[in-house]
Amino acid sequence: MASKSPPTKLERIRNIGIMAHIDAGKTTLTERVLFLTGYTHRIGEVDEGSTVMDWMEQERQRGITITSAAITCEHRGHQINIIDTPGHVDFIAEVERSLRVLDGAIAVFCAVGGVEPQSETVWMQADRYHIPRIVFVNKNDRIGADFYAVLKALENRLHALPLPVQIPIGSENEFKGVVDLIEMKALIWPRDLELEYETTDVPAEIWEQARKWRDSMIEILSETNEELLTRYCEGADIDSRLIRQSIRDLTLKTRIFPVFCGAALKNRGIQPVLDGIVDFLPSPTDVPPVLAQRVTTHEEVIRYSSPREPFTALIFKIMNDPERRKLHYLRVYSGHLEHPYRVVNSRTGEEERIGRLFRMFSNKRERIEAVGPGDIAAVIGLKNSVTGDTLCAPGDLVYLEPMEFPKPVIFIAIEPHTIADQRKMGNALTSLAEEDPTFRVNQDPDTGQTIISGMGELHLQILTERLTREFNVKAKVGRPQVAYRESIRKEAIHEEKFERQIAGHQHYAHIILKVSPGERSSGFVFESAVAPDILPELFVRQVEQGVRDSLTAGIQFGYPIEDIHVALIGGGYHPDFSSNESFQFAAAVAFREVCMKAEPILLSPIMAVEIILPDEFLGDVIGNIQMRKGNIEGIETRKQFQIVRANVPLSQMFGYATDLRSLTQGRATYTMRLSYFAEVERVGSPE
């Protein structure tokens, strides 16, 4: 039976994500939020494998989030749509597509680890989408916790302006509550795991410290609020509602980031964060209207968060349900959709049939009858729609800015055990690739092997486990290999005349290509300097297509070609013998030849590695990194730990987890993410 509850007013909707580095406590925080809002009646624990959000078997076994999960709860009459995102760098695509459709976010930082590599990455992603954020500094009860060091790191490493609205009372084992700087009251949790807090006066021993932080907060807010400035200068009482409104205004502009603190595992500090979501994070009406483009004219169109606007929604995620039906997750930006659910995919121009609408609660769902602006929902029934597609009202086709995902850096060969497994494996890999935009599947043309590519060893390990568990496919998996790239070192020109008789028909094409190296990470750029009377636009497009088709074949080693600028600078055609195919063939041949003249090079992925270790193992760890051809970028001391940052070729990082455990008696941890691609010194073969 579909839900018939009345729609929530737009001003009372919050679409938020929870983002952080792995093990900072995102899922633990989310589970407490679900309990406090009445969604669950028992707090789920990551260590017990009983969480609502981490529902996959692999997530519960490893204690990490692998796939982003959406859920809806209520607080103070507001509907809060939450997406809990992964913290491991291998699953960065889940964060990317979640941030694309969210209005606000909670950034969780560990009071011990501070700003860690993945938290830095997701912060930059949120910056790119101009997403307002509040900050929760977690684990203040841990040994080594330093709330104020995290504030400095937010300023120095993230170039953000943190605005503490709370400071901790005590630290490490003595952490027992927080000072609310807005109300100037102490919130004390008297016992471990106690959810209810006591509101008391600020303890005398930290009154002066709290007053200084409150004055600092008021000074920052007064810079843009004249009423607040006047009251502050006159020494008058300042209404807390005025302070909250000033914080909200600057938060929505991403000028400041309100900072809360607590210890989620001990249930301390969660209620104020819930209030912060309502008080400081935006509703769909608080964010700028979304920009779209018309399919036919490419003119810019503004879509407002209003049910009276034409329906516009973005598909940001695809999942397969237990019955192998595709669930497409939508963020509705404008308009209203109800039965009979007629929509058009603006990419294909085809009408799509939606069978059912659902509100998602992690891996569970509730059927609903309609969706409107600001809604995040899932649908069943779409046939030819993929992640990033825009769904529109018939007769008003626009497309929203598509999402961009990082390219894979590692690959393995996979072979089925039997012919029956071969058939099942093909369908299973297709389903997994539809779900995950950073997962690629292709055939090696020389060996016929199936090659799967992803963002790291854990990423591919999870996917191959899913093949066995979910799709019942038995397969042999090869060793991980680095996904190198190819490029060129210098500029070159090549002229190609294609004159050939194929199947009794004469073909002719004449082109002159010039290639030059592009900036690192610039990708592929094509341009034409040929006048239409020399070469018609139709044939120019065929040349570009022929070059694009050749990019994946590589130059010498069969790796994709990147960071290259291709210019069509001359050519000609025959009115009778030239065809689309002849120009595509000519382009493919010319492109290979000109790249060979341009001194092809091999590019290796370089990983930014961060290692946290006790002092006594520093020398051994640095020596091991240098042995792996790594460059030490910096060493930072944080209490009893050393933090080593280095850039290391991915090819040298296989098996590093085992070596690090051996070198440090299991007392060190490390993370790594793709930093950039660099030229391999000797191009004889990959490293």
Side-chain angles (χ1 to χ4, degrees), residues 373-644:
D375 275 331
I376 290 178
V379 302
I380 282 179
L382 301 181
K383 299 296 183 185
N384 299 310
S385 296
V386 298
T387 299
D389 281 354
T390 302
L391 299 182
C392 308
D396 197 336
L397 299 192
V398 298
Y399 60 93
L400 300 169
E401 179 186 358
M403 291 175 279
E404 293 185 4
F405 298 100
K407 297 177 181 177
V409 296
I410 190 172
F411 68 89
I412 56 176
I414 184 167
E415 295 180 356
H417 279 188
T418 66
I419 297 297
D421 285 323
Q422 173 77 51
R423 289 192 294 269
K424 288 192 293 185
M425 188 176 80
N427 294 331
L429 291 176
T430 299
S431 294
L432 292 174
E434 287 175 339
E435 289 185 15
D436 187 346
T438 60
F439 176 59
R440 309 285 173 83
V441 182
N442 55 60
Q443 297 290 128
D444 187 312
D446 297 322
T447 65
Q449 284 182 312
T450 298
I451 305 297
I452 59 175
S453 308
M455 299 306 298
E457 291 181 86
L458 179 61
H459 186 203
L460 293 183
Q461 183 182 348
I462 294 293
L463 289 167
T464 51
E465 285 181 9
R466 289 185 63 190
L467 277 178
T468 302
R469 292 179 177 181
E470 295 179 28
F471 297 91
N472 197 28
V473 174
K474 296 180 180 178
K476 294 182 290 185
V477 179
R479 293 180 58 191
Q481 304 290 323
V482 176
Y484 293 93
R485 304 286 191 267
E486 294 189 59
S487 192
I488 56 173
R489 183 177 284 119
K490 69 176 188 179
E491 186 179 286
I493 295 175
H494 179 77
E495 182 176 6
E496 183 69 30
K497 283 189 177 180
F498 183 83
E499 298 179 274
R500 192 174 300 177
Q501 192 172 52
I502 302 175
H505 296 283
Q506 189 68 27
H507 290 266
Y508 176 86
H510 175 210
I511 60 173
I512 304 173
L513 287 186
K514 181 175 78 171
V515 296
S516 53
E519 296 290 330
R520 288 289 165 259
S521 303
S522 63
F524 165 70
V525 178
F526 179 88
E527 67 174 357
S528 173
V530 180
D533 59 328
I534 301 297
L535 206 60
E537 178 63 27
L538 174 63
F539 291 149
V540 172
R541 290 200 299 270
Q542 300 309 313
V543 172
E544 180 179 358
Q545 188 60 50
V547 172
R548 285 188 181 276
D549 292 343
S550 302
L551 291 174
T552 57
I555 305 170
Q556 288 183 305
F557 303 109
Y559 294 108
I561 304 169
E562 284 195 350
D563 304 337
I564 190 168
H565 186 282
V566 181
L568 177 63
I569 61 173
Y573 72 103
H574 191 285
D576 297 322
F577 302 142
S578 291
S579 63
N580 292 346
E581 293 79 7
S582 60
F583 275 94
Q584 285 195 25
F585 288 144
V589 174
F591 182 63
R592 177 172 178 78
E593 293 297 326
V594 74
C595 286
M596 292 300 293
K597 294 178 182 179
E599 294 186 14
I601 58 175
L602 193 65
L603 301 177
S604 171
I606 305 298
M607 311 304 287
V609 181
E610 183 170 294
I611 309 147
I612 302 176
L613 68 154
D615 293 340
E616 60 263 37
F617 304 112
L618 182 62
D620 290 339
V621 168
I622 289 176
N624 186 266
I625 287 291
Q626 292 172 335
M627 184 185 71
R628 293 172 181 270
K629 303 180 183 179
N631 293 321
I632 304 298
E633 298 295 310
I635 301 173
E636 175 188 337
T637 301
R638 189 179 295 163
K639 293 197 173 180
Q640 68 270 43
F641 294 102
Q642 297 289 334
I643 301 174
V644 178

Side-chain angles (χ1 to χ4, degrees), residues 210-222:
R211 187 187 62 79
K212 288 179 180 179
W213 279 105
R214 188 178 196 271
D215 287 347
S216 175
M217 175 181 71
I218 298 298
E219 286 176 8
I220 292 172
L221 298 176
S222 297

Side-chain angles (χ1 to χ4, degrees), residues 350-366:
E350 298 176 358
E351 185 168 312
E352 286 270 33
R353 179 184 176 275
I354 292 177
R356 294 179 182 178
L357 291 172
F358 298 101
R359 191 170 315 284
M360 297 304 298
F361 298 93
S362 188
N363 62 327
K364 298 180 176 61
R365 60 201 184 200
E366 173 192 39

Side-chain angles (χ1 to χ4, degrees), residues 153-295:
L154 288 168
E155 292 186 57
N156 298 333
R157 291 190 63 177
L158 302 182
H159 309 292
L161 178 56
L163 185 80
V165 294
Q166 298 176 343
I167 60 171
I169 300 174
S171 185
E172 300 181 345
N173 291 333
E174 300 300 317
F175 175 71
K176 59 182 179 180
V178 302
V179 175
D180 180 344
L181 297 175
I182 298 175
E183 302 287 350
M184 277 304 277
K185 290 291 184 181
L187 312 182
I188 305 294
W189 282 264
R191 290 172 293 278
D192 282 352
L193 305 180
E194 184 76 34
L195 281 164
E196 298 300 323
Y197 60 84
E198 299 173 357
T199 302
T200 66
D201 292 333
V202 177
E205 62 269 21
I206 63 168
W207 168 261
E208 191 60 29
Q209 182 185 20
R211 187 187 62 79
K212 288 179 180 179
W213 279 105
R214 188 178 196 271
D215 287 347
S216 175
M217 175 181 71
I218 298 298
E219 286 176 8
I220 292 172
L221 298 176
S222 297
E223 292 178 7
T224 57
N225 189 311
E226 290 188 12
E227 183 182 354
L228 198 61
L229 177 61
T230 301
R231 287 178 171 273
Y232 179 62
C233 292
E234 293 175 350
D237 288 339
I238 300 176
D239 187 357
S240 61
R241 287 177 296 179
L242 179 59
I243 296 175
R244 292 182 194 280
Q245 186 58 52
S246 298
I247 294 174
R248 179 177 179 80
D249 291 343
L250 291 179
T251 302
L252 297 185
K253 296 174 183 175
T254 64
R255 296 267 299 275
I256 61 170
F257 302 94
V259 181
F260 298 78
C261 56
L265 191 62
K266 291 186 177 178
N267 303 335
R268 294 176 179 171
I270 312 303
Q271 295 95 327
V273 173
L274 263 172
D275 290 332
I277 293 171
V278 171
D279 291 339
F280 305 137
L281 290 181
S283 71
T285 58
D286 292 318
V287 297
V290 68
L291 297 179
Q293 289 185 309
R294 293 208 181 279
V295 171

